[in-house]
């Protein structure tokens, strides 16, 4: 913690893009001017997001109290610092989105009782507060780390992970025992527009992500790590490079940063290898062999997301906190999509509904900070898409956040909840499933028939619902075929919104074919 936290004033500027850099510079100029005028000392720090998308964010801390200002421009930042420089002991709270009292030297962003306080903050600890280029060498490496990950049953997280929702250890052993020089790929490309977990970790806690990669590399005897990052994220790349320099100073590992197009399909764990190898046409590879034995330039390759690697770092650093008997021990990051878009962290034995706050789903949520059946007692019916853009549609968020529980409920695991409330200006399940199938139709790589042709036909049939034809059995067959026989997870995932809409909202599809929208949104 900084000295200024204890005795002076600290101004943290949270950002993950170039616009935030201008805000930081404005704050620093104002602080320098205050110092020249012999005003009170004001320390300025660049940090990543604490979990919100309302950036740039300025958090002003003085004597155990922090005022949070969201979406600040350079003039706003300079004004805040000037107010502090005037010598007034009060925090500038006018216009603040939150003012939080806390212990004098916290090690995490003071979330208070606001939306970011949902769940826990183990993996996110320090996000929005600590220097994002910090790197702490893991204390457990090599075989011991592999056995820890194996004993705990740590699973992969996110659509871009080669072991999505599966235990990691088997793949690590395959890579360790395969011929060739192993390599670890940090797949930071996850371009799911509904899930921010990977980007948040890379921008706010890249040291934790890279530490997880160091653990993985040590377990398979790899000497290099390749971090694939979105090419439109220069600030994130700069922070990861800074961490890589620190890693190189204390280990024999090299961390190379490579920029790639942040395209949803390219984030598929074999497609990202095609991108790294410079291929023009990006398609998913046929498997087996899996990347662990035949990956980047034929080398044994671990492909993991930032979410997975941060979970590995936490598991190895503090294994006692994980329940080795749990099917999916630890926590999962969940982005709540909406006006208060944010990413929170839920223990995997916690109900998804805990990510929500009062009034996000009407009356019941108001009374119970997020109940189970959405809208059961609320003023309007509500539903949600859970698990990314190809998540499942449901009215019930009383499902644990673990991968087996989510999949068992037909939901996605890519870390998001997108709530919809029916009624004018709200959502209709038929519209949502149609849009998701259109994305599948437009963004699949075209390599296999079930996904390429199935998404086209399913999208056409969903459009025909509005013309009075609901081909339910044909749609069910398409969802089943895409889900079971597609070559990669894209096709299987893309079938999920349709499959859950048929199961949960079949009446809505029938009503639309009859010229009526029960949600009051469409004009069939
Ligand atoms: S499932 Fe879709 S994205 Fe995956 S290989 Fe087949 S066509 Fe390509």
């Amino acid at each position: 913690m900084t000295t200024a936290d204890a005795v002076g004033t600290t101004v943290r500027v949270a950002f993950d893009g170039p616009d935030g850099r201008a805000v930081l510079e404005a704050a620093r100029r104002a602080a320098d001017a205050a110092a020249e005028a012999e005003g009170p000392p004001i320390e300025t720090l660049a940090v990543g997001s604490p979990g919100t998308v309302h950036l740039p964010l300025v958090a002003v801390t003085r004597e155990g109290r922090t005022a949070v200002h969201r979406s600040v421009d350079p003039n706003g930042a300079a004004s805040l610092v000037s107010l502090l420089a005037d010598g007034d002991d009060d925090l500038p709270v006018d216009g603040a989105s939150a003012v939080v009292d806390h212990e004098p030297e916290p090690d995490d962003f003071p979330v208070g009782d606001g939306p970011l306080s949902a769940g826990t903050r183990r993996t996110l600890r320090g996000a929005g507060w600590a220097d994002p280029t910090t790197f702490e060498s893991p204390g457990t490496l090599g075989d011991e780390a592999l056995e820890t990950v194996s004993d705990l049953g740590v699973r992969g997280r996110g659509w871009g992970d080669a072991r999505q929702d599966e235990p990691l250890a088997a793949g690590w052993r395959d890579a360790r025992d395969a011929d060739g020089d192993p390599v670890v790929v940090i797949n930071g490309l996850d371009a799911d527009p509904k899930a921010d977990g990977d980007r948040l970790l890379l921008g706010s806690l890249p040291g934790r992500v890279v530490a997880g990669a160091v653990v993985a590399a040590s377990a398979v005897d790899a000497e290099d790590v390749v971090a694939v990052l979105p090419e439109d994220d220069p600030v994130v790349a700069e922070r990861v490079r800074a961490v890589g320099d620190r890693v190189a100073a204390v280990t024999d590992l090299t961390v190379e940063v490579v920029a790639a197009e942040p395209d949803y399909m390219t984030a598929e764990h074999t497609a990202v290898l095609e991108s790294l190898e410079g291929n023009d046409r990006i398609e998913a590879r046929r498997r087996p062999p899996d990347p662990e034995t035949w990956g980047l330039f034929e080398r044994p390759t671990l492909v993991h997301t930032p979410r997975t690697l941060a979970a590995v770092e936490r598991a190895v650093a503090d294994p006692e906190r994980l329940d080795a008997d749990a099917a999916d021990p630890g926590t999962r990051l969940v982005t709540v999509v909406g006006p208060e878009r944010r990413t929170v962290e839920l223990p995997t034995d916690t109900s998804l509904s805990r990510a929500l706050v009062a009034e996000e789903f009407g009356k019941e949520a108001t009374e119970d900070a997020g109940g189970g059946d959405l809208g059961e007692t609320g003023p309007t019916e509500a539903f949600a898409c859970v698990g990314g853009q190809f998540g499942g549609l449901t009215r019930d968020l009383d499902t644990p956040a673990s991968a087996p529980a989510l999949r068992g409920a037909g939901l996605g695991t890519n870390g998001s909840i997108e709530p919809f409330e029916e009624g004018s200006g709200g959502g209709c399940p038929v519209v949502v499933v149609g849009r998701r199938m259109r994305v599948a139709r437009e963004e699949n790589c075209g390599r296999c028939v079930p996904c390429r042709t199935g998404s086209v036909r399913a999208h056409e049939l969903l459009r025909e619902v509005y013309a009075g034809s609901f081909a339910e059995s044909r749609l069910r067959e398409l969802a089943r075929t895409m889900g079971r026989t597609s070559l990669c997870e894209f096709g299987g995932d893309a079938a999920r919104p349709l499959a859950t809409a048929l199961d949960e909202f079949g009446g809505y599809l029938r009503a639309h074919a009859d010229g009526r929208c029960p949600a009051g949104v469409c004009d069939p």
Side-chain angles (χ1 to χ4, degrees):
M1 216 34 52
T2 67
T3 304
D5 279 331
V7 299
T9 303
T10 305
V11 175
R12 287 178 172 82
V13 180
F15 64 99
D16 62 5
D19 56 339
R21 206 188 303 277
V23 173
L24 175 69
E25 287 168 0
R28 285 190 166 154
R29 279 195 299 274
D32 289 345
E36 282 177 21
E38 299 187 353
I42 300 169
E43 183 176 13
T44 55
L45 297 174
V47 295
S49 170
T52 176
V53 296
H54 297 288
L55 304 177
L57 174 152
V58 174
V60 183
T61 302
R62 178 181 276 171
E63 295 179 348
R65 200 162 193 237
T66 293
V68 180
H69 297 259
R70 306 194 310 189
S71 304
V72 179
D73 63 17
N75 289 336
S79 297
L80 286 169
V81 175
S82 297
L83 283 171
L84 294 163
D86 286 344
D88 190 334
D89 282 345
D90 290 338
L91 278 181
V93 298
D94 283 354
S97 62
V99 179
V100 181
D101 291 309
H102 50 79
E103 59 190 79
E105 298 183 36
D107 63 357
D108 192 16
F109 187 89
V111 294
D113 57 2
L116 292 179
S117 66
T120 185
R121 281 176 71 92
R122 295 181 211 160
T123 305
L124 291 181
R125 187 147 220 87
W129 199 251
D131 176 357
T133 63
T134 301
F135 171 74
E136 290 182 23
S137 293
T140 304
L141 295 168
D143 288 345
E144 187 180 351
L146 197 162
E147 290 312 313
T148 300
V149 167
S150 178
D151 291 346
L152 291 171
V154 179
R155 293 176 184 251
R157 287 152 165 78
W159 135 254
D161 200 284
R163 294 282 155 176
Q164 180 185 13
D165 301 335
E166 297 174 21
L168 302 177
W172 288 18
R173 291 193 177 98
D174 287 346
R176 181 194 61 187
D177 298 340
D179 292 334
D181 297 328
V183 57
V184 176
V185 172
I186 302 173
N187 185 1
L189 280 188
D190 192 348
D192 189 328
K194 307 298 180 185
D196 301 334
D198 284 337
R199 184 188 171 106
L200 172 62
L201 288 169
L202 285 171
S204 299
L205 299 162
R208 183 157 293 153
V209 174
V210 174
V214 170
V215 170
S218 73
V220 300
D221 293 329
E223 294 181 350
D224 50 334
V225 172
V226 179
V228 191
L229 306 179
E231 61 191 4
D232 59 357
D233 259 344
V235 171
V236 169
E238 187 179 290
R239 289 173 181 166
V240 175
R241 273 197 197 91
V243 172
D245 290 345
R246 294 186 176 186
V247 171
V250 295
T251 73
D252 294 331
L253 271 178
T254 60
V255 179
E256 180 186 5
V257 173
V258 178
E261 191 176 345
D263 172 76
Y264 187 81
M265 183 61 226
T266 309
E268 196 274 339
H269 73 272
T270 60
V272 74
L273 301 180
E274 295 287 304
S275 174
L276 281 171
E277 292 182 3
N279 294 322
D280 291 334
R281 183 173 169 78
I282 304 299
E283 293 180 335
R285 293 180 178 177
R286 288 194 181 280
R287 291 176 290 131
D290 287 317
E292 286 93 349
T293 55
W294 187 269
L296 183 63
F297 295 113
E298 303 176 13
R299 299 167 65 185
T301 305
L302 302 185
V303 185
H304 292 311
T305 62
R307 278 174 281 177
T308 296
L309 293 168
V312 165
E313 189 276 340
R314 291 289 79 193
V316 169
D318 196 2
E320 301 301 322
R321 290 202 70 170
L322 273 66
D323 177 3
D325 294 329
D328 182 14
T331 63
R332 292 217 165 219
L333 300 190
V334 177
T335 298
V336 179
V337 181
E340 284 299 320
R341 183 163 175 149
R342 61 196 180 273
T343 299
V344 298
E345 181 177 358
L346 296 181
T348 50
D349 59 358
T350 302
S351 166
L352 286 175
S353 61
R354 293 299 157 198
L356 309 175
V357 297
E359 296 178 0
E360 229 157 5
F361 285 100
K363 191 173 159 190
E364 182 177 348
T366 304
E367 292 169 351
D368 190 24
D373 291 333
L374 306 184
E376 194 175 69
T377 60
T380 58
E381 292 291 304
F383 66 98
C385 183
V386 173
Q389 70 174 347
F390 294 143
L393 304 188
T394 182
R395 289 197 192 281
D396 180 9
L397 289 187
D398 197 15
T399 301
S402 76
L406 291 168
R407 285 185 178 261
L411 305 176
T413 60
N414 204 27
S416 72
I417 302 171
E418 183 173 16
F420 297 93
E421 220 164 80
E422 297 178 10
S424 178
C428 166
V430 179
V431 173
V432 173
V433 69
R435 286 183 180 155
R436 304 299 154 101
M437 193 54 75
R438 188 179 67 203
V439 171
R441 171 183 182 156
E442 292 174 350
E443 296 200 16
N444 75 82
C445 79
R447 179 155 192 176
C448 71
V449 172
C451 173
R452 183 184 67 230
T453 307
S455 59
V456 171
R457 189 65 189 126
H459 187 233
E460 289 171 351
L461 290 176
L462 286 167
R463 289 173 65 92
E464 287 173 13
V465 168
Y466 285 89
S469 169
F470 174 34
E472 181 173 0
S473 58
R474 181 70 182 121
L475 281 164
R476 283 193 185 280
E477 184 187 332
L478 283 168
R480 201 163 36 241
T481 303
M482 287 177 68
R484 292 180 182 172
T485 64
S486 291
L487 183 64
C488 80
E489 285 79 4
F490 184 107
D493 290 350
R496 187 179 295 115
L498 174 58
T500 50
L502 289 166
D503 287 344
E504 302 290 331
F505 299 93
Y508 282 65
L509 287 155
R510 275 187 286 278
H512 279 70
D514 291 340
R516 186 171 57 85
C517 173
V521 172
C522 315
D523 185 15

